[in-house]
Amino acid sequence: MSYRELIPNVNVTESSKLDSRSILFLKTFFPDDLVDCRQLQEGGTLPNIDGYLDILCPDGTAREKVVVQVKHLTYPEENGKVFYDIPRSIYAYAERHKGELVLFIACDDKLRRFYWRNISETSIEEFKNKSNHIQNTARYHFLDSEKCTEDNVKETIGLWRELYKKKMDSIKDERKLAEQFASQQRMCFNSVSSELHGVRSSHIN
């Protein structure tokens, strides 16, 4: 290779190969009658996320849609402890897409297990408190309940269903509160308008 030769970027890095392998692992890990993984993109073009998981009803229709970012587990579990330096991008995505259930997933395809975290409003605030607004990651230690193996995959999916329901319920509550607030403001405005109607120097006729 000549020292004057221009070197292009590498097409596939070791990290990207491991992440792609993790997505392929998930596609073979979930039972076909429980989760539809066809919207997971291996080497996809979606910014910040790797696609969606559709959680299926018994009749095969999708009820809950989960947004995921998938990575290969960097450091294996040791003495029951496991962590990952979760990137800022997934927290930023979840903060802007409040109506979606967003999960971060780190896979250990060799041991056929993965670890996950719900990127909730609480976790976003935790990241902000840890972050100095410069760093791109924050270390997170997974809980025992956030570990999924072939023995508890159905229980994990059940937890995701519950999280999805809570997310949708919270959106409905926020919308209801917003409508109530808007109604109260209209009532106050109408009350003031009626009191000022006909008053000298008032602009309300």
Side-chain angles (χ1 to χ4, degrees), residues 2 21 33 45 58 66-67 76 79 90 109 112 119 122 134 143 150-151 158 160 173 178 185 195:
S2 170
R21 200 165 75 191
D33 60 338
T45 58
V66 180
V67 182
N79 299 323
I90 192 63
D109 61 295
R112 293 193 60 79
I119 308 300
T122 301
I134 297 175
L143 305 175
E150 292 175 331
D151 293 333
W160 292 357
D173 291 341
Q185 295 302 303
E195 291 178 5

Side-chain angles (χ1 to χ4, degrees), residues 64 101-103 116-120 156-170:
E64 298 92 356
L101 176 61
V102 181
L103 302 179
W116 59 278
R117 189 186 194 191
N118 175 25
I119 308 300
S120 62
T156 297
I157 293 171
L159 287 174
W160 292 357
R161 287 188 188 277
E162 292 177 13
L163 290 172
Y164 183 88
K165 183 179 184 303
K166 290 179 180 177
K167 169 68 73 173
M168 296 303 107
D169 288 344
S170 69

Side-chain angles (χ1 to χ4, degrees), residues 189-205:
F189 177 78
N190 292 336
S191 176
V192 171
S193 298
S194 63
E195 291 178 5
L196 293 178
H197 181 77
V199 174
R200 185 173 297 178
S201 300
S202 171
H203 296 291
I204 301 177
N205 297 320

